[in-house]
Amino acid sequence: MLRESRHEKLLSILGEEGVLPIGEIATRLGVSGATARRDITELGRAGRLTRVYGGAVAAPTQDEERPFSEVVVDDLADKEAVARAAAELVADGDVLLLDIGTTTLQLAKLLRGRPVTVVTSNLAVYDELRDDPEVTLILLGGQVRANYRSVVGFLTESNIRQLRVGRLFLGASGVLPDGSVLDSTHVEVPVKRAMLGAAREVVLLVTAGKFPGDTGLARICGPEGIDTLITNKTSDPATLAVFREGDVEVVTV
């Protein structure tokens, strides 16, 4: 396979799957590990992918992601309703993991004054809770993504793998009709997948606008990875039925 064609194939695979280790990249492209590493280095220098520990993710372009400050006001009433239902699940003393996103920020606002432990990669959540004497706040380390107020990368993933928390509140860019949970920012996907493995219970927070999942390129998980889905009453009924069939508790607000 010609080098240019190989590069385009690699970017296409990463676009569909989010992140791959070097060994898998070499297998998919039918090349040696050395060639796969060289391809990753070249594409990384060109800004077309981002190297992560042991592999790579496709690099998002600037127009793929709106700034956090713009997204935070979208569908605000829906986000607040979802956040209120999520807050009702929290008991004093709980250890919680809060994903990136604007709905988890609304949840954080409702956790002020509560004697809970919050672990997060969400810098907006950190800013919301950092001066609260009741909340034990743990900020994960990693590379700062200023545009979306988060931290990412192999350091963040490594931090998460040291944790075992009671409940993860997970965000997403979209949800497909088959229940696939998507994210549109490839560099966030490995962090989200690590979070799934660190929590005893996973609660997906998505507003009605995230259905039918026309935003998001990389799959985080399916219904089998979710314990509870909290969304709005106007969300797609057929997709909610898929989650219920997968033994997911669905809460609509």
Side-chain angles (χ1 to χ4, degrees), residues 125-177:
V125 167
Y126 168 78
D127 284 341
E128 179 65 32
L129 298 175
R130 63 180 176 175
D131 64 347
D132 191 322
E134 293 295 324
V135 176
T136 299
L137 182 59
I138 300 173
L139 179 64
L140 297 166
Q143 178 183 343
V144 173
R145 293 184 62 241
N147 187 57
Y148 210 70
R149 314 268 328 259
S150 68
V151 292
V152 296
F154 75 94
L155 290 175
T156 315
E157 296 169 51
S158 178
N159 284 176
I160 295 168
R161 291 192 182 101
Q162 309 308 310
L163 299 173
R164 189 63 175 165
V165 303
R167 185 178 289 118
L168 161 65
F169 288 102
L170 179 72
S173 296
V175 182
L176 291 177

Side-chain angles (χ1 to χ4, degrees), residues 32-149:
S32 67
T35 298
R37 282 188 287 272
R38 185 164 57 249
D39 286 347
I40 290 171
T41 298
E42 292 175 357
L43 290 168
R45 287 173 179 167
R48 301 185 71 188
L49 60 71
T50 300
R51 295 196 67 165
V52 296
Y53 183 72
V57 296
T61 61
Q62 290 299 313
D63 60 359
E64 280 183 359
E65 184 178 56
R66 294 166 57 208
F68 189 94
S69 58
E70 292 182 7
V71 179
V72 73
V73 297
D74 290 348
D75 304 320
L76 184 56
D78 285 350
K79 293 174 183 176
E80 290 173 336
V82 168
R84 285 193 295 270
E88 292 178 0
L89 299 178
V90 178
D92 291 352
D94 280 355
V95 179
L96 313 170
L97 182 54
L98 267 60
D99 189 16
I100 67 162
T102 54
T103 304
T104 48
L105 172 59
Q106 300 308 315
L107 171 58
K109 293 178 179 180
L110 299 174
L111 296 177
R112 288 190 62 86
R114 298 281 302 274
V116 295
T117 297
V118 173
V119 185
T120 191
S121 61
N122 189 327
L123 296 176
V125 167
Y126 168 78
D127 284 341
E128 179 65 32
L129 298 175
R130 63 180 176 175
D131 64 347
D132 191 322
E134 293 295 324
V135 176
T136 299
L137 182 59
I138 300 173
L139 179 64
L140 297 166
Q143 178 183 343
V144 173
R145 293 184 62 241
N147 187 57
Y148 210 70
R149 314 268 328 259

